[in-house]
Amino acid sequence: METERKKLYSAIQPTNNLTIGNYLGAIKNWVNLQSEYDCYYGIANMHAITVRQEPVKLRQKTLSLLALYIACGIDPEKCVLYLQSHVSAHAELAWVLNTITYVGEMERMTQFKDKSARHADNINMGLMDYPVLMAADILLYQADVVPVGEDQRQHLEITRNIAQRFNNAFSPTFTVPEGVYMKVGAKINDLQFPDKKMSKSAENPNGSIFLTDDRDTIIRKFKRAVTDSGSEIRYNPAEKPGVSNLLSIYSVFSDKTVAEAEADFAGKGYGDFKLAVGEVVADKLGPIQSEQVRLEADRQYLDGVLKSGAEKAARLANKTLAKVYKKIGFYQI
Ligand code: ATP
Ligand code: LTN
């Protein structure tokens, strides 16, 4: 007898260029989890417009993110890959969830506060409502697990609260999801400011390794990475944030433990160390980049993936939405 597999949901916004932080914090784990769960991987373009986007670029980034998912090893035959705006249930459920979410809760969100400060001229309702749309994403698919980076922990907590609140107010409807965070890789920091997370929208591009960076750029950026005083290559984020960040990057890119990574560099200097980290990253990204370019040129294939993804996603999403509408008293014919 076939037992039903647990469901997994995650998504990334098609904004800017992705960094190795997005790769290690999210996509790399998605690849590993796809054989174990029923996976739904979204491209969150509705979240993306909470910050002003150029329409032409948003369209391009959508396809290139899809190509990247596949180039990294996510198999569209095994997982549902789809574009958020293709499934109207996201906006519809978000509206319902808005009515059980408090303004005060949203005002307290760290990402809302950060983004409001960075985009002071455009503090729109969508930016504030971002976590509710994210809750709708996850709850529509009755996801058991949600693999994300550390920065999304607060949004996942609020999703759990919203799910429980709805279940208590009406009757059990939503699966309450668990966040899944990797021990190493859940928070990759900026190479220039090792106390800040590496971000695709950072002001200084030298601190971020973009998945589109060529080999020379990658090696140059790692050579310039900020290290710490002393000369020992040892993992200790409090005392040696720069070196520890590089050790984390090296360890996940080479599939070694942090202890094995430390052993590789025992007695070596910072120069050799930084070069080795750059090389292991460039070696891994090279093949992904060429596959992404190849896929991006095959528009027909990508459209086909999105079309079948949207159909599969909508089937489950609409089922959940219908249940919700019934429970809250929306008259159905
Ligand atoms: P931005 O900085 O432009 O807001 P972002 O880099 O945080 O964007 P998102 O689309 O918000 O990118 O995140 C996509 C995924 O990547 C999320 O799961 C997030 O937790 C993860 N992620 C982002 N940055 C890092 C990082 N530095 N380390 C580990 N995971 C990360
Ligand atoms: N906010 C997320 C992207 C995202 C997401 C989701 C992640 C949108 N909807 C649902 C997990 C589940 C981010 O990483 N910035």
Side-chain angles (χ1 to χ4, degrees), residues 82-103:
Y82 78 102
L83 184 59
Q84 191 182 27
S85 63
H86 286 167
V87 179
S88 60
H90 289 257
E92 295 175 81
L93 181 61
W95 180 255
V96 175
L97 299 182
N98 271 331
T99 64
I100 59 161
T101 306
Y102 301 106
V103 172

Side-chain angles (χ1 to χ4, degrees), residues 153-220:
R153 194 183 276 273
Q154 204 181 26
H155 290 162
L156 217 47
E157 279 309 307
I158 199 82
T159 299
R160 290 167 55 84
N161 294 343
I162 292 173
Q164 280 157 344
R165 201 173 295 162
F166 188 99
N167 289 348
N168 291 338
F170 300 96
S171 63
T173 307
F174 296 123
T175 303
V176 180
E178 298 283 342
V180 177
Y181 311 92
M182 293 297 125
K183 276 197 221 76
V184 185
K187 187 158 185 269
I188 297 298
N189 287 337
D190 191 284
L191 300 186
Q192 294 297 320
F193 303 96
D195 52 341
K196 278 194 356 200
K197 86 158 188 170
M198 186 182 287
S199 159
K200 46 179 149 81
S201 47
E203 272 162 41
N204 180 353
N206 286 324
S208 300
I209 303 288
F210 296 101
L211 297 181
T212 46
D213 282 347
D214 62 29
R215 189 177 187 90
D216 290 348
T217 309
I218 296 173
I219 295 197
R220 177 174 51 78

Side-chain angles (χ1 to χ4, degrees), residues 15-229:
T15 50
N16 304 312
N17 286 323
L18 268 68
T19 68
I20 54 168
N22 304 120
Y23 175 70
L24 299 178
I27 303 180
K28 188 165 186 279
N29 307 318
W30 297 5
V31 177
N32 296 335
L33 295 165
Q34 63 184 341
S35 45
E36 209 180 313
Y37 293 91
D38 266 346
C39 298
Y40 290 81
Y41 293 129
I43 297 177
N45 60 343
M46 291 164 68
H47 280 101
I49 60 165
T50 57
V51 169
R52 192 80 71 231
Q53 303 294 334
E54 260 183 63
V56 174
K57 278 207 188 137
L58 181 59
R59 247 187 304 271
Q60 283 167 354
K61 298 271 177 216
T62 299
L63 283 184
S64 70
L65 182 56
L66 176 65
L68 181 73
Y69 282 179
I70 303 171
C72 288
I74 296 171
D75 181 352
E77 302 290 321
K78 283 196 198 154
C79 311
V80 177
L81 299 184
Y82 78 102
L83 184 59
Q84 191 182 27
S85 63
H86 286 167
V87 179
S88 60
H90 289 257
E92 295 175 81
L93 181 61
W95 180 255
V96 175
L97 299 182
N98 271 331
T99 64
I100 59 161
T101 306
Y102 301 106
V103 172
E105 292 178 301
M106 296 295 100
E107 282 172 335
R108 282 198 291 277
M109 293 286 120
T110 311
Q111 182 183 290
F112 174 63
K113 289 192 269 185
D114 285 355
K115 290 202 176 171
S116 300
R118 271 194 284 151
H119 306 278
D121 55 336
N122 183 20
I123 306 178
N124 61 76
M125 289 302 293
L127 191 62
M128 190 173 183
D129 206 27
Y130 184 113
V132 178
L133 179 60
M134 182 160 157
D137 296 345
I138 297 168
L139 301 181
L140 275 176
Y141 299 94
Q142 305 287 3
D144 298 281
V145 295
V146 181
V148 277
E150 226 9 92
D151 61 321
Q152 297 299 313
R153 194 183 276 273
Q154 204 181 26
H155 290 162
L156 217 47
E157 279 309 307
I158 199 82
T159 299
R160 290 167 55 84
N161 294 343
I162 292 173
Q164 280 157 344
R165 201 173 295 162
F166 188 99
N167 289 348
N168 291 338
F170 300 96
S171 63
T173 307
F174 296 123
T175 303
V176 180
E178 298 283 342
V180 177
Y181 311 92
M182 293 297 125
K183 276 197 221 76
V184 185
K187 187 158 185 269
I188 297 298
N189 287 337
D190 191 284
L191 300 186
Q192 294 297 320
F193 303 96
D195 52 341
K196 278 194 356 200
K197 86 158 188 170
M198 186 182 287
S199 159
K200 46 179 149 81
S201 47
E203 272 162 41
N204 180 353
N206 286 324
S208 300
I209 303 288
F210 296 101
L211 297 181
T212 46
D213 282 347
D214 62 29
R215 189 177 187 90
D216 290 348
T217 309
I218 296 173
I219 295 197
R220 177 174 51 78
K221 285 182 181 176
F222 275 108
K223 274 192 188 154
R224 287 198 199 157
V226 169
T227 37
D228 314 285
S229 55

